[in-house]
Amino acid sequence: MLRYTIPATTANLGPGFDTLGLAINIYSEFQVTSAEKDVFYIHDWQDNLLSIDKSDNLLNKSLLEFADYYQLTLPSIEIREKLKVPLARGMGSSAAAILGGLTAGAIATGILPAKDDFVEMAVKLEGHPDNVLPALFGGLIINYSDQERIFYEKIEIDPELNFILVIPDFELKTSELREILPKNVDYSTVLFNMSRVALLVKSFLTKDWQLLENAMQDKLHQPFRSAKIPGFNKIIATAYAAGARGAALSGAGPTILAITDKNPEKIAGAMCATCLDYGIKAEYLIAKADNQGLYNQLEELLK
Amino acid sequence: MLRYTIPATTANLGPGFDTLGLAINIYSEFQVTSAEKDVFYIHDWQDNLLSIDKSDNLLNKSLLEFADYYQLTLPSIEIREKLKVPLARGMGSSAAAILGGLTAGAIATGILPAKDDFVEMAVKLEGHPDNVLPALFGGLIINYSDQERIFYEKIEIDPELNFILVIPDFELKTSELREILPKNVDYSTVLFNMSRVALLVKSFLTKDWQLLENAMQDKLHQPFRSAKIPGFNKIIATAYAAGARGAALSGAGPTILAITDKNPEKIAGAMCATCLDYGIKAEYLIAKADNQGLYNQLEELLK
């Protein structure tokens, strides 16, 4: 039996819609064992067994993609997946399932995919690279592409920072959330986000946390998507009032991210209380960045 | 008599349209003397006397703005301005004149404007902050704004880097070049530029020059404006073939910027030769970044 873990992620980081994503040290757990036939035990973050069959789940789709990519037949395996983040809340649960399935394929066959090949398979399955790349390589990942392929650049994140994730008890589907967005934006919106992206990269690289409040602002997706979350602006204001350095949607929401170097419990509690004022039950997680990612583990496992 | 110098700039740096500008160590020179009546001697970069009257020039407009801002009458002064960059080529000659005039006002009155006040006056005169801010504070400046005011963040640039400016012998007016641009852009264009801005900031802060080739790409203005420069893509390709780390339009053009840590003369010569292949006579300048700017000097002068 081989075990591995996959970090959760917070993508669309601040102004970095589809561009910046970050891995956090909340790890979904996987076990892979050889078996007589394929069996997938998928437990959600509250330990409920979601599925034991292989129909239409991302683990299986990812295994099939692996087999297809390398043009081979996979031996039967048992996978146990224990999610540590909720589904469809903007914390990378899909990325975890996809990377978990691809890694199971690698373990079952003994093939260690080159990094670029792993990225190609994962992005094909996920559609967008800003969740899978940080989960794969850790840290903050800038993804960019030309007409042919995807590239990425990693920035390690200081362990001093806490990432607070306030998780409302309702789901938002990313696919529907894409349809809310306009097709085009004007130059002033572009300049707004570009300048904040520059600030955000400077903030993380120079550890200047005072920049984060401006650096985490966004006009590309948050104004449209946050309308689905009652009291959103008030929850963000509460985070700042309680001492947060930066705050924004996590992924496509509804999870709300706050960043702080101090008093994360106090900030998280205040945000959840404001959620309740608007009739939203919310839980919170407090994490640090994960600067390792999955790929390093896979190299160790297949050595 | 008091003297000061103002660095030239290369704005719209790579993907940073209206957002990123850089000061370079090519300095226009100013002298201010008390006089019986206002006289402005403005010499261009080839030492031709352009003007000695005060009608409709930026020096005088800037002096009037200074007087208006502080609600006072200025004493008469003589200003001698010696430009070291050509006019209307994308190297910040307007910013130099504006800052030169405001500084003359400060000297004439003994008033040292606070940084934010200086920025407010300069941006009001220039319209866009990406030339005046680097000339004022040095380095690479990220400018950003909310509905009320302009903010900026400085990144010091490594002296190892050379900035090559290849200057064609024709002018392009920024005002006309703005009209070429579309009103809106699609999300893929935004993501393209945002990711490159992130790379560019990372490149300068971590001194990873290999990133510059991707980091200097742009889709917001260069594709439209470079169409006014015959052979533009070939000139850029020549720069890379000769060893440049990055290359793009300087400002709104027609000057073309290349960045390199090695062999700047070789790269500049190759670029100018390619210009000639397309019938463009071009000169070149080779500069380092200026990390000081004007404001420090003004503080010294008025101490």
Side-chain angles (χ1 to χ4, degrees), chain B residues 170 226-235 256 274-275 278-280:
Chain B
F170 57 89
S226 63
K228 302 262 180 188
I229 304 167
F232 176 80
N233 291 332
K234 198 79 192 198
I235 301 164
I256 300 170
T274 302
C275 284
Y278 287 87
I280 303 172

Side-chain angles (χ1 to χ4, degrees), chain A residues 242-262:
Chain A
R245 296 295 200 159
L249 272 187
S250 175
T255 295
I256 300 170
L257 168 70
I259 309 176
T260 183
D261 51 337
K262 294 195 196 88

Side-chain angles (χ1 to χ4, degrees), chain A residues 153-154 185 187 202 220, chain B residues 153-154 185 187 202 220:
Chain A
E153 194 60 34
K154 176 176 170 177
V185 294
Y187 271 68
K202 186 183 178 199
L220 285 176
Chain B
E153 193 61 34
K154 175 176 170 178
V185 294
Y187 271 69
K202 186 184 179 200
L220 285 176

Side-chain angles (χ1 to χ4, degrees), chain B residues 190-208:
Chain B
V190 182
L191 305 187
F192 184 96
N193 269 61
M194 283 207 305
S195 58
R196 270 71 181 177
V197 164
L199 289 181
L200 191 58
V201 172
K202 186 184 179 200
S203 172
F204 284 129
L205 282 172
T206 64
K207 308 188 200 305
D208 181 351

Side-chain angles (χ1 to χ4, degrees), chain B residues 108-278:
Chain B
T109 59
I111 294 173
L112 174 65
K115 284 181 182 175
D116 287 349
D117 296 338
F118 210 126
V119 168
E120 191 181 331
M121 290 185 280
V123 172
K124 187 172 167 195
L125 289 158
E126 168 79 349
H128 292 274
D130 51 339
N131 278 306
V132 290
L133 292 179
L136 199 46
F137 301 118
L140 172 72
I141 300 282
I142 306 161
N143 80 74
Y144 59 107
S145 53
D146 61 15
Q147 278 145 3
E148 286 169 20
R149 52 171 286 228
I150 287 160
F151 303 89
Y152 57 91
E153 193 61 34
K154 175 176 170 178
I155 293 174
E156 298 212 355
I157 299 297
D158 194 282
E160 183 186 28
L161 286 179
N162 301 286
F163 295 86
I164 301 162
L165 294 142
V166 170
I167 307 164
D169 67 347
F170 57 89
E171 294 186 5
L172 291 175
K173 292 279 183 197
T174 304
S175 53
E176 291 166 27
L177 290 169
R178 286 220 161 238
E179 289 160 18
I180 302 177
L181 304 181
K183 291 267 172 286
N184 295 297
V185 294
D186 62 16
Y187 271 69
S188 72
T189 301
V190 182
L191 305 187
F192 184 96
N193 269 61
M194 283 207 305
S195 58
R196 270 71 181 177
V197 164
L199 289 181
L200 191 58
V201 172
K202 186 184 179 200
S203 172
F204 284 129
L205 282 172
T206 64
K207 308 188 200 305
D208 181 351
W209 313 140
Q210 287 193 321
L211 293 177
L212 285 174
E213 181 162 354
N214 277 302
M216 286 291 286
Q217 295 175 331
D218 169 69
K219 287 194 175 179
L220 285 176
H221 78 114
Q222 185 166 291
F224 309 102
R225 291 168 167 177
S226 63
K228 302 262 180 188
I229 304 167
F232 176 80
N233 291 332
K234 198 79 192 198
I235 301 164
I236 296 284
T238 298
Y240 283 117
R245 295 295 200 160
L249 271 188
S250 175
T255 296
I256 300 170
L257 168 69
I259 308 176
T260 182
D261 51 336
K262 294 196 195 88
N263 304 323
E265 285 82 7
K266 178 188 155 199
I267 296 165
M271 292 171 74
C272 288
T274 302
C275 284
L276 264 189
D277 292 344
Y278 287 87

